Amino acid sequence: MKMIPSYSAFARILALGALIVLGAYAQAQTPTDPLLSWNNGPAKQAIVTFVKETTTQGSPKFVDPVARIATFDQDGTTWVEQPLYAQVMFAFHQLGAVGAKDPKLKEIEPFRTVLSGDREAIAKLTLPDLEKILSVTHTGMTVEVFQKSVQDWISSAQHPRFHHLYTECIYQPMLEVMRYLRANGFKTYIVTGGGQDFVRVYSERVYGIPREQVVGSTAGTTFGYKDGKTELTKEPRDVRVDDNDGKPIGIHLMIGRRPLAAFGNSGGDQEMLEYTQDGGGARLEMLVHHDDATREYAYGPESKIGTFSDALMAEANKRGWVVISMKNDWKHIFAWEQ
Amino acid sequence: MKMIPSYSAFARILALGALIVLGAYAQAQTPTDPLLSWNNGPAKQAIVTFVKETTTQGSPKFVDPVARIATFDQDGTTWVEQPLYAQVMFAFHQLGAVGAKDPKLKEIEPFRTVLSGDREAIAKLTLPDLEKILSVTHTGMTVEVFQKSVQDWISSAQHPRFHHLYTECIYQPMLEVMRYLRANGFKTYIVTGGGQDFVRVYSERVYGIPREQVVGSTAGTTFGYKDGKTELTKEPRDVRVDDNDGKPIGIHLMIGRRPLAAFGNSGGDQEMLEYTQDGGGARLEMLVHHDDATREYAYGPESKIGTFSDALMAEANKRGWVVISMKNDWKHIFAWEQ
């Protein structure tokens, strides 16, 4: 019996060692169900099938990683939008701060109404009223000053019904979809009617989506110098609204290719889903339907916010889009439920 | 002598095997100099120092990977811009195609001049002339049709002096910087005065930069339907010129944070470099100086294209920006030289 194994035997031992080490590693990495908060059903199945088809080498629908783009609307798709968009709550809050510095503002409508706190009167504000409020609270300051004010507000602002931070009112099932897609080589984007500079403040922390992957409504900025330092000031001009046709336009501007998968919940997402689907090949279009008044909200055609019209439902059915029932498809809605 | 080693001995062999395997892997991965086309000197040293400072854990200037953004101007910084921008050559070429379909165009200035091929007359075209030419050749078609025409042209168009494809007239040292930065966790962007939709056609293949990381000049698009399919049509309105102050504005719009490193070569890049530097901490600002008439071109304050004014040189010196001498800092300029 040789005491020293031959080189080839040694090589075999090395190879065996490496295999066992790598095998243990692979086993440790074996994922549990990536969509734990989803009930088994056609919605969950559609996601899993889409990912397998587009990412399995040799699949006829395999897609090169550079083209794996998935876009998510935000309000009503990844977080709560009722009773009022978080960004509008922020704007009302900021109006208080602006009013404290500029008391004249308190005498002018629509600011007087908002500052009065009269809920009934506030509920009657018109779109031009809201634009004035957004202009006063979202422009005239540097990008950094604006984002600091968002940061300050969002780190403590709570949802009026759930008594959790807005950034905790995120739909856990959608976070799981984002992570599942990213684990399979997709780049995930927020494509929102909300403000791009607003969402960028928390997108990385809350969604794991870096600032540059947020496509939202924007307005112009002016480049200038203050005390010899460069700065960008937010202006009330060149407004681009990232809703309806603004979504495919924004996607082309910011990303430059049609998404492979798109997620929305209302009429404002229709064009994005159409644009996604018309790219051909394996695509996934999903709409969140708010039909769970107990755990979240139930609203549809009649809601002023997040309108899911009968016409949209008809188009979803005709085009084969997947409608997610919050009530039936989601085991958990929020992380705090678990 | 036991024939079967004890479990602990077996574990030691496994561990040894794994170490040797991993060690061999690490050795195979040991990089050679990532900046092979650079001569040793202050420019090369500045790049290496910057990368080490910002990416070494525990370094006082360490930067979180999400903030590692590097922006590169294109014309004159990553590829040849003399005697005329490649995109202008493309526009002249396209004008021929447009003229063939619409013979009336041949009778109207400035199109008649371009189509005549009279070089002296062409050289005298004004900026408004050029805008008319860009409008006719860059708008009125879908995004896909436009990009197909760029693809067709750029796959065969050659530089008039070098007799290589334009996409081969790339500065090898800058490609090495891009790869070196990416290998160290940086996201690399093109930030160009050229057209965003134009550069996106070849950015992935030529620079390894995906379409969504190209920031350039843009114009509006219209969303619509043709034969029931969605499409985006390029329009001659809402033009955003990504040059001078347009570069920091474009960077904020498309990326949302100040770059950590910025590379340019002319006055159009000044604001981008200032904006980068004013972010504070470890930053890198570099300007390519075209001082090599033998291997490429020598031009500076007097050039209509890629003007590097004396004032810009003075600012570079004052602010400590690194000026790259093509002649002295670059061992090779083009890949085909090697």
Side-chain angles (χ1 to χ4, degrees), chain A residues 115-142:
Chain A
L115 293 169
S116 73
D118 178 346
R119 287 190 182 203
E120 266 186 58
I122 290 172
K124 284 180 190 150
L125 290 174
T126 63
L127 199 63
D129 288 337
L130 205 59
E131 279 167 7
K132 281 179 201 155
I133 294 163
L134 286 174
S135 174
V136 164
T137 55
H138 283 63
T139 67
M141 72 289 284
T142 67

Side-chain angles (χ1 to χ4, degrees), chain B residues 50-242:
Chain B
F50 165 77
V51 169
K52 289 219 184 307
E53 283 183 343
T54 53
T55 64
T56 305
Q57 286 278 358
S59 153
K61 293 182 174 174
F62 179 80
V63 176
D64 189 87
V66 297
R68 293 184 199 161
I69 303 288
T71 56
F72 293 80
D73 167 58
Q74 179 182 242
D75 297 302
T77 300
T78 62
W79 78 352
V80 177
E81 64 183 344
Q82 297 281 0
L84 209 53
Y85 300 120
Q87 192 173 353
V88 173
M89 299 299 287
F90 163 76
F92 288 176
H93 171 86
Q94 280 306 99
L95 207 55
V98 176
K101 281 189 200 167
D102 180 6
K104 277 180 295 177
L105 211 72
K106 294 181 192 172
E107 309 303 319
I108 309 167
E109 288 297 352
F111 313 118
R112 186 165 56 185
T113 294
V114 175
L115 293 169
S116 74
D118 177 346
R119 288 189 182 204
E120 267 185 58
I122 290 172
K124 284 180 192 151
L125 291 174
T126 62
L127 199 62
D129 289 336
L130 205 59
E131 280 168 6
K132 281 180 202 156
I133 294 163
L134 287 174
S135 174
V136 165
T137 55
H138 283 62
T139 67
M141 71 290 283
T142 67
V143 167
E144 280 85 358
V145 165
F146 173 75
Q147 293 192 321
K148 171 74 166 57
S149 70
V150 176
Q151 181 56 50
D152 289 347
W153 179 79
I154 209 152
S155 63
S156 63
Q158 291 201 348
H159 189 274
R161 171 176 158 195
F162 297 116
H163 306 297
H164 276 271
L165 296 177
Y166 282 101
T167 50
E168 291 169 344
C169 295
I170 306 285
Y171 306 138
Q172 182 67 17
M174 293 308 263
L175 278 185
E176 291 172 1
V177 173
M178 287 180 179
R179 289 185 197 128
Y180 178 48
L181 287 169
R182 289 196 291 262
N184 283 281
F186 281 79
K187 249 185 169 171
T188 52
Y189 282 80
I190 295 288
V191 177
T192 175
Q196 189 165 289
D197 283 343
F198 181 86
V199 179
R200 278 174 170 174
V201 172
Y202 56 83
S203 62
E204 172 81 35
R205 178 172 58 85
V206 171
Y207 299 118
I209 292 181
R211 295 184 206 178
E212 61 268 28
Q213 286 164 225
V214 174
V215 181
S217 295
T218 54
T221 54
T222 298
F223 176 83
Y225 301 87
K226 193 180 177 185
D227 304 330
K229 294 278 183 188
T230 52
E231 60 177 29
L232 289 173
T233 303
K234 289 171 70 71
E235 306 285 357
R237 56 165 166 77
D238 298 340
V239 174
R240 199 187 75 73
V241 178
D242 194 71

Side-chain angles (χ1 to χ4, degrees), chain B residues 6-7 10 21 30-31 55 64 86 106 112 115 117 119 144 157 189 195 198 254 262 275 283 293 297 311 333:
Chain B
S6 69
Y7 281 114
F10 186 61
V21 170
T30 299
T55 64
D64 189 87
K106 294 181 192 172
R112 186 165 56 185
L115 293 169
R119 288 189 182 204
E144 280 85 358
Y189 282 80
F198 181 86
M254 303 283 290
Y275 184 66
R283 306 270 163 168
Y297 293 92
I333 294 182

